[in-house]
Amino acid sequence: MKQFILLSTLFLIFQQHINAQIKPPQNDQSAMDISYYPKNYPLLKIQDKLTDPLIARLIYSRPLKNGREIFGNLIQYGKVWRLGANEATEIEFYQHVKLNNSKIKKGRYTLYAIPNEDKWTIIINSETDIWGSFKYDFQKDIFRMEVPVEKQSEITESFSMVFDKTAEGFSLFIFWDEIKINIPFTL
C-alpha cells in the first residue's frame, strides 16, 4: 500500500512537470485555502518521507466570480487589494528567498497587490493578522515589484493561488477570472 501511494504521488508529480502550462487547482467548498511549497509537503509529512524542507506557506480566502466583472470593477484598478477575501493573505517563508534579487528574510508577512490592466504591483508587508486591506500601512512594506498580467483562455471561477517549481526556485501563480499572475522567487 505504501509503495502504491508513493508511486501514485511520484506519477502525479511527474505528470505536473510534463504539463508546461500551470493551471489552478481543483477547489473544495471552503473559502479558506492553503498552498505549500513544495506542493506535496503535507502528503510527504504524513508519510514521514520528507525529502524537501518546507520553504513557503500561503494562507488566503477564495472569492468566487459568480458572473461578476472582477478586474476594473469589483477589484478596482490602482487600489491596494488583500489578494483574496476576508483576512489579508499571509505568506510565510521558512528560509530566506529572493524576489528580483532582493532578499526576503524568513518569517511571516502579508501579501497585497495593486492590480492594473497590464501589470500588478506585488507588495510584501511586515504587518500581519489584518482584516482586508482597510488598515494597510505602506510604511510597513518591505518589498514591492511589478509583474505583468497574463490573459488565460479559460475563466477561473474561484480565486486561486498555487506554487510551482522553476529552474531557479519557485513561482507563486495567481488565477482569477481570465487573469494569471506569476511571482518568481529564487532560493
Side-chain angles (χ1 to χ4, degrees):
M1 184 65 175
K2 287 183 181 181
Q3 287 178 328
F4 175 75
I5 292 172
L6 181 60
L7 287 174
S8 297
T9 302
L10 290 173
F11 177 75
L12 289 173
I13 293 169
F14 179 72
Q15 283 296 101
Q16 289 175 345
H17 288 289
I18 287 176
N19 182 3
Q21 182 82 9
I22 181 97
K23 296 185 183 226
Q26 294 294 324
N27 295 315
D28 58 22
Q29 294 299 312
S30 171
M32 182 65 104
D33 208 348
I34 299 176
S35 292
Y36 294 94
Y37 184 77
K39 281 195 249 188
N40 55 356
Y41 181 80
L43 177 63
L44 291 175
K45 186 175 181 182
I46 290 169
Q47 295 177 353
D48 292 325
K49 300 283 185 188
L50 282 177
T51 56
D52 297 320
L54 180 60
I55 296 171
R57 178 182 69 178
L58 184 77
I59 301 173
Y60 68 102
S61 291
R62 293 182 281 111
L64 300 174
K65 179 171 170 53
N66 281 338
R68 301 176 290 183
E69 183 181 338
I70 302 299
F71 297 103
N73 188 20
L74 180 66
I75 306 301
Q76 296 177 7
Y77 289 135
K79 293 195 176 185
V80 174
W81 176 43
R82 62 183 138 197
L83 273 176
N86 305 325
E87 287 193 46
T89 294
E90 288 192 3
I91 190 164
E92 186 166 3
F93 300 110
Y94 294 89
Q95 68 181 47
H96 304 316
V97 297
K98 287 185 180 179
L99 272 169
N100 260 7
N101 292 320
S102 294
K103 183 178 178 180
I104 309 293
K105 293 181 180 180
K106 70 179 181 176
R108 190 166 58 111
Y109 303 96
T110 299
L111 193 60
Y112 295 102
I114 301 174
N116 285 296
E117 199 166 349
D118 59 340
K119 64 185 173 188
W120 285 15
T121 301
I122 301 301
I123 303 166
I124 296 179
N125 187 282
S126 64
E127 190 167 22
T128 58
D129 303 314
I130 301 295
W131 181 264
S133 56
F134 306 108
K135 294 185 179 183
Y136 163 73
D137 183 354
F138 74 92
Q139 294 178 354
K140 295 185 179 179
D141 290 354
I142 63 161
F143 181 80
R144 280 181 173 231
M145 77 180 276
E146 290 185 348
V147 294
V149 170
E150 298 176 48
K151 296 283 186 175
Q152 302 183 98
S153 57
E154 294 180 33
I155 299 294
T156 302
E157 174 66 25
S158 179
F159 177 77
S160 299
M161 300 172 80
V162 62
F163 292 108
D164 197 37
K165 185 175 185 168
T166 64
E168 300 80 28
F170 62 98
S171 281
L172 174 59
F173 289 93
I174 301 170
F175 302 92
W176 201 19
D177 197 2
E178 60 183 11
I179 299 297
K180 176 180 164 185
I181 302 296
N182 176 6
I183 306 169
F185 292 89
T186 54
L187 301 172

